[in-house]
Amino acid sequence: FDADPDAYSGALPQAAPQPAGTEYTCPMHPEIVQDHPGDCPKCGMALEPMTPSADAGPNPEYVDFKRRLWITAPLALAVFVLEMGAHIGVPFADWIGHTLFGWLQFALATPVVLICWPFFKRGWSSIVNRSPNMWTLIAIGTGAAYLFSIVSLLAPGLFPPAMRDGMGMTPVYFEASAVILVLVLIGQVMELAAREKTGDAIRALMDLAPKTARRITDGTEEDVPLDQLRTGDSLRVRPGEAVPVDGTLTEGRSSVDESMITGEPVPVEKTSGDSVTGGTLNKTGSFVMQAGAVGADTTLSRIVAMVAKAQRSRAPIQAMADRVANYFVPAVVGSAILAFVLWVIFGPQPVLSYAFVAAVSVLIIACPCALGLATPMSIMVATGRGAHAGVLIRDAEALERFSKVDVLIVDGIEGAYLLSLAAALERGSEHPLAEAIVTGAEDRDAPRAQAQDFEAVTGKGVIGTVDGTRVALGNAALMRDLSIATEAMQDRLDRLQSDGKTAMFVAIDGALAGLVAVADAIKDTTPEAIRGLHDAGLRIVMATGDAEATAQSVAATLGIDEVHAGLSPEDKNNLVTRLQSEGRSVAMAGDGVNDAPALAAADVGIAMGTGADVAVESAGITLVKGDLGGILRARHL
């Protein structure tokens, strides 16, 4: 507002300006693509950006339709109560007079029809472009009811005496047009709200990347916007900052949290020559990197593009509805014309009046008011029932599709004295594995000791003195630096790693003393949930970025049918599409940014409520507790 107050001077909020080159598409007809905003030539709906920008404001159409609903809903309710009063013993027409009663309904219904004018515009577009859809019938049906009622109100003498009441008035259908339009408007508001949340998924992805990067030029450093970066630029990344773009570390060491991209919780040690990915979080050290991929070529940008593409893809039910509409709409119009012709030929006098009433009746009855009511009602009921079971449902389609799913893809599930020495060292470390070792020592009541001369060797381990004893904890590289032989325990180390554990050597006073292993424990509820899903007829496939040995170990423990390890976000997305190409109906359960493209591409995406926001926004179903048992509850629901 401060930058451009005029942009907000109108009655409606203005959409945020889109970047140059933005393409727009129709939510109902994704084959319609153009380089500027406007209306769909097939159905008249407002076109939306194919990829929302990170700073996009509220959808103007959503705000507009919500305001239209607040105005029209009370008016439609009032005209409905007036017309239906006679059916429940409240004769409003007798109390106020039939003529005034008709004009009162006209006064209430007319603002509803005028305010819902966009629906008639869409209907007209569908007729002009020979693309019949639900807007065709809604516009024809409600328009016919409204116009018929006006003629009936203004010139009741045009209709045969048999149609008139004792006061000489003919029936009006103002309440039919008003109520149907408001029901459709409710459906549109709910659909627009769901699409607004869909855009939040992509914006959450975009927010992972920082807005600026610290570029080093000729020895000086300055913060510059990301769009000014070029391949080969030298960038400094300080502790706690997000890596701005993909590139290679050229100077320094650090521990980088890549969980938002890889899904794996343990930060990765980075030294000179190692690659880093934009959007990941630098934990401990400061380093200099050389920019590799920038702009749309970064891993994060490619993930954004994949999510946007998957969200724009058409559901099979949409294609089926379009095919039905291609026949249904002309059939209804044809039936109305046929009714008119038959009444003209065979009907009693006055034939034109009877024929007109018969034709309009067909249009009114065939108007698909269920399209405006059934879907919102099913969404509300399913959402309410599901919420009580810890299952949040994005839309009715996701729940309907889940009943047909036959493949479920899940992400990977990741001596006292010796432990006392290891814990003493790790109390001085900020490495993520340190907390697990300290907690494990406390759980096992290992003696508590203090370490002195603590030293962290980046990428290798830690060294220190505990009660006068020199202790080292780390990987094989650290042991080699200290000239400590590890061959005696190499087989044991390999077995631990094959069981899915992260194992480290412990050396005391220059000699190898043992191993400490850390594992991401399987939840107690998981085995039972896997058995239940198998009983429900689902094939369980694990897709994880973890190592093959770890994944195979967990799969063997849980009885998972198929394992794919070491997968990137693109690989997971490709796995989903490959299974779909084999005729499978696929559900994907995940909790990280790396899962977002696959969640959006799957027939049903299932997000863990404990996971990343973007995973939740990309999924049709969210499990509040992040428990696989929720998938089974969703299947039963």
Side-chain angles (χ1 to χ4, degrees):
F1 179 84
D2 290 338
D4 188 7
D6 292 337
Y8 296 88
S9 60
L12 295 179
Q14 303 298 309
Q18 297 294 327
T22 297
E23 293 185 319
Y24 297 81
T25 186
C26 172
M28 283 185 65
H29 300 92
E31 68 274 14
I32 302 297
V33 178
Q34 63 185 42
D35 59 2
H36 57 277
D39 296 334
C40 174
K42 286 190 173 182
C43 66
M45 293 184 72
L47 300 181
E48 300 176 347
M50 296 181 72
T51 302
S53 62
D55 57 352
N59 183 341
E61 187 177 37
Y62 173 52
V63 177
D64 178 28
F65 275 29
K66 270 205 311 184
R67 189 173 60 176
R68 291 175 189 266
L69 179 60
W70 283 114
I71 298 171
T72 58
L75 297 174
L77 178 62
V79 72
F80 176 79
V81 170
L82 283 175
E83 179 61 31
M84 295 296 112
H87 298 281
I88 58 173
V90 184
F92 290 109
D94 294 340
W95 293 350
I96 62 177
H98 287 243
T99 302
L100 181 58
F101 178 73
W103 283 106
L104 182 57
Q105 288 195 57
F106 168 80
L108 292 169
T110 298
V112 176
V113 174
L114 294 176
I115 291 173
C116 292
W117 183 251
F119 298 161
F120 294 96
K121 182 181 176 183
R122 294 175 182 181
W124 178 249
S125 296
S126 69
I127 296 171
V128 171
N129 293 287
R130 295 191 295 276
S131 177
N133 51 46
M134 74 171 188
W135 300 115
T136 314
L137 284 182
I138 289 170
I140 293 176
T142 57
Y146 179 74
L147 293 175
F148 173 86
S149 301
I150 290 179
V151 174
S152 177
L153 185 64
L154 294 176
L158 293 177
F159 299 91
M163 291 186 61
R164 287 179 248 160
D165 58 21
M167 304 291 293
M169 299 298 298
T170 51
V172 292
Y173 297 99
F174 288 120
E175 96 290 345
S177 57
V179 171
I180 290 172
L181 288 172
V182 168
L183 289 175
V184 173
L185 188 56
I186 291 172
Q188 286 299 290
V189 169
M190 296 183 72
E191 181 183 341
L192 287 166
R195 290 213 301 274
E196 188 84 350
K197 290 183 179 179
T198 297
D200 289 345
I202 298 177
R203 283 186 283 272
L205 274 171
M206 293 175 170
D207 286 341
L208 292 178
K211 300 295 182 283
T212 61
R214 193 163 188 81
R215 185 169 60 188
I216 304 173
T217 307
D218 298 330
T220 62
E221 299 184 9
E222 61 174 340
D223 292 328
V224 298
L226 287 194
D227 57 10
Q228 294 185 17
L229 295 182
R230 298 293 180 266
T231 301
D233 285 350
S234 292
L235 311 173
R236 182 177 299 281
V237 183
R238 293 165 291 191
E241 291 182 340
V243 178
V245 294
D246 297 357
T248 304
L249 194 147
T250 58
E251 180 184 320
R253 295 172 175 266
S254 188
S255 174
V256 178
D257 181 357
E258 297 184 333
S259 60
M260 296 302 286
I261 296 295
T262 66
E264 304 311 317
V266 180
V268 179
E269 305 295 339
K270 300 288 185 179
T271 59
S272 181
D274 290 339
S275 61
V276 288
T277 305
T280 56
L281 183 64
N282 182 30
K283 300 287 286 187
T284 54
S286 175
F287 62 84
V288 176
M289 61 173 286
Q290 184 179 57
V294 298
D297 296 327
T298 64
T299 300
L300 190 60
S301 295
R302 293 201 307 272
I303 293 176
V304 168
M306 281 191 294
V307 172
K309 182 179 178 181
Q311 289 176 342
R312 292 194 309 271
S313 61
R314 305 200 72 184
I317 195 171
Q318 290 176 297
M320 183 185 72
D322 283 350
R323 287 196 299 271
V324 171
N326 286 334
Y327 297 99
F328 181 66
V329 175
V332 170
V333 176
S335 297
I337 294 173
L338 180 62
F340 182 87
V341 172
L342 291 176
W343 276 90
V344 167
I345 297 173
F346 302 108
Q349 291 295 329
V351 291
L352 287 179
S353 297
Y354 278 116
F356 180 73
V357 171
V360 170
S361 298
V362 171
L363 292 175
I364 293 172
I365 293 168
C367 182
C369 43
L371 289 174
L373 179 62
T375 300
M377 289 298 292
S378 65
I379 291 175
M380 286 187 286
V381 173
T383 301
R385 292 294 300 272
H388 286 294
V391 180
L392 303 182
I393 302 158
R394 168 70 55 88
D395 52 45
E397 184 181 327
L399 199 61
E400 177 188 356
R401 285 184 167 199
F402 196 33
S403 67
K404 301 178 178 66
V405 163
D406 53 13
V407 175
L408 171 66
I409 300 177
V410 295
D411 195 9
I413 306 169
E414 308 252 340
Y417 175 62
L418 191 74
L419 193 56
S420 174
L421 296 177
L425 282 182
E426 293 290 31
R427 285 191 181 92
S429 172
E430 55 189 9
H431 195 282
L433 294 178
E435 183 180 355
I437 293 175
V438 172
T439 302
E442 293 173 350
D443 291 344
R444 292 164 176 77
D445 296 323
R448 186 181 180 91
Q450 296 295 324
Q452 295 84 35
D453 304 325
F454 175 82
E455 178 185 355
V457 184
T458 304
K460 298 180 179 180
V462 291
I463 303 171
T465 302
V466 182
D467 295 336
T469 301
R470 195 65 179 165
V471 182
L473 170 69
N475 57 22
L478 179 64
M479 297 298 114
R480 285 195 299 270
D481 290 351
L482 300 175
S483 301
I484 298 172
T486 59
E487 289 79 4
M489 292 190 181
Q490 189 62 48
D491 289 343
R492 175 62 175 155
L493 179 79
D494 293 340
R495 287 197 298 274
L496 288 169
Q497 290 179 333
S498 67
D499 288 338
K501 299 177 174 65
T502 301
M504 294 156 283
F505 294 107
V506 181
I508 300 176
D509 288 334
L512 190 63
L515 292 166
V516 173
V518 176
D520 192 4
I522 297 173
K523 292 182 179 180
D524 295 337
T525 58
T526 300
E528 182 180 354
I530 295 292
R531 285 194 297 271
L533 290 167
H534 275 140
D535 293 341
L538 292 172
R539 176 175 178 80
I540 313 298
V541 177
M542 179 191 290
T544 177
D546 209 344
E548 179 76 24
T550 302
Q552 292 289 353
S553 171
V554 173
T557 302
L558 294 175
I560 289 174
D561 302 301
E562 188 178 329
V563 177
H564 299 269
L567 300 187
S568 67
E570 291 91 340
D571 293 333
K572 292 185 178 183
N573 188 61
N574 292 337
L575 175 62
V576 170
T577 54
R578 179 176 64 79
L579 288 169
Q580 290 172 327
S581 69
E582 295 172 358
R584 301 280 192 170
S585 182
V586 180
M588 169 75 189
D591 58 2
V593 170
N594 63 312
D595 301 318
L599 286 170
D603 295 283
V604 179
I606 305 170
M608 304 301 177
T610 54
D613 289 344
V614 65
V616 173
E617 294 295 345
S618 298
I621 297 175
T622 300
L623 308 181
V624 176
K625 299 180 181 178
D627 182 351
L628 285 182
I631 299 179
L632 189 58
R633 290 192 291 273
R635 176 74 167 196
H636 292 322
L637 182 61

